[in-house]
Amino acid sequence: MPETSVDINRGQATDRGLRRELNEDAFLSTETLFAVADGMGGHEAGEVASRVCVETLSEGYRQAGGQLNAEQIQNLMREADNAIRVAASERAGTTLTGAAVVYQEDQPYWLVFNVGDSRTYRLAGGELEQISVDHSEVQLMMDRGEITAGEAVWHPRRHVITRALGTGDDSRADFWLLPIQHGDRLLICSDGLSGELRDEDIKDIATRFADPQTAVDELIQAALRTGGRDNITVVVADAVRGHVDDDLADTMPRPGAAEDAVETEPVAAPGGDTTTGEEKS
């Protein structure tokens, strides 16, 4: 373990939502790897795609002894892409977004990865920033200046994605490497959350609730109250200790030591009703 390590306090949950018959989302939550996959492809197929994706990541994490590097993450995503194409006969795909804790020169970093329109946010210094960039038609339209961000929320093509694992011609992932600062909170979610709540609402809830599991539960309940039209999955990962020479004060209240305890086993699970902690879904 590097001399400058980081501890992660985390929460996670998934909910089928109020209108979907199945939960096609899946998540992975470990001490150093966090991911959300949103399957697509119709009845059962999307569920297979997201499940195969998180199982591939989970097995790679296990084989690596819980510490992955950037190259290993890239290889696992390619492996997941191939495994989904075989398992679902190229009838299904999945988005994937998340982050791994990696070390460079003994310093901890978030390695954020993304394919599709699920999202990874960072809350730091009281500000919420979307780290990942959606691979979607409306994002392309916004990039070209054809529509505004406000128009994208209700655009009829808002659910059409341009990259995915397991299907289509483009499964490339984007990556970002961010130094981990004391007090960072990563929020990883499917579009069942970001499609129901404005970023301002996500920020408000993520800021008000210090305990990550409580923040996750409150976010899901808020999405259900506004319609719950899709499966909703959220993983929150807090850096409770960062660089040893980091003098940045923690701007978020923290729970007590007992609440800072984290599970030592990965949490990974596909579809179902609301599931938290090790039950997953």
Side-chain angles (χ1 to χ4, degrees), residues 80-190:
D81 179 50
N82 292 330
I84 294 164
R85 292 177 190 274
V86 171
S89 302
E90 302 206 24
R91 296 181 297 106
T94 187
T95 69
L96 177 67
T97 194
V101 176
V102 300
Y103 290 88
Q104 292 196 357
E105 298 181 353
D106 284 345
Q107 300 300 316
Y109 289 81
W110 301 115
L111 177 66
V112 176
F113 48 87
N114 183 70
V115 180
D117 64 351
S118 293
R119 292 181 177 178
T120 296
Y121 295 87
R122 178 174 62 172
L123 181 65
E127 295 300 322
L128 183 74
E129 176 187 10
Q130 182 181 333
I131 304 300
S132 62
V133 177
D134 295 352
H135 297 134
S136 65
E137 285 198 2
V138 294
Q139 182 66 52
L140 291 175
M141 292 178 194
M142 286 192 293
D143 293 343
R144 294 192 294 258
E146 297 172 1
I147 61 173
T148 66
E151 291 170 332
V153 174
W154 303 110
H155 196 280
R157 303 286 288 177
R158 65 187 180 277
H159 297 303
V160 180
I161 65 173
T162 56
R163 297 189 203 176
L165 295 180
T167 190
D169 298 325
D170 196 348
S171 59
R172 293 172 298 153
D174 292 334
F175 293 86
W176 298 262
L177 191 64
L178 310 171
I180 296 179
Q181 304 292 342
H182 181 57
D184 276 0
R185 166 166 283 186
L186 280 198
L187 191 155
I188 303 159
C189 65
S190 61

Side-chain angles (χ1 to χ4, degrees), residues 121 123 128 187 193-209 215 218-220 222-223 225-226:
Y121 295 87
L123 181 65
L128 183 74
L187 191 155
L193 182 79
S194 58
E196 292 289 358
L197 301 181
R198 298 175 305 166
D199 283 2
E200 301 83 50
D201 299 321
I202 294 174
K203 174 186 173 181
D204 176 63
I205 295 170
T207 302
R208 281 192 291 123
F209 296 96
E218 292 291 336
L219 285 163
I220 288 177
R225 286 193 297 271
T226 57

Side-chain angles (χ1 to χ4, degrees), residues 2-14:
E3 293 181 6
T4 307
S5 62
V6 62
D7 293 333
I8 302 294
N9 194 17
R10 66 192 192 271
Q12 54 277 317
T14 187

Side-chain angles (χ1 to χ4, degrees), residues 24 26 36-41 44-57 75-97 115 163-168 171:
E24 295 182 273
V36 168
D38 181 354
M40 55 196 177
E44 294 186 353
E47 185 180 14
V48 169
S50 62
R51 174 178 54 80
V52 169
C53 182
V54 298
E55 286 178 351
T56 301
L57 292 178
N75 290 338
L76 284 172
M77 294 181 75
R78 293 190 193 101
E79 184 179 334
D81 179 50
N82 292 330
I84 294 164
R85 292 177 190 274
V86 171
S89 302
E90 302 206 24
R91 296 181 297 106
T94 187
T95 69
L96 177 67
T97 194
V115 180
R163 297 189 203 176
L165 295 180
T167 190
S171 59

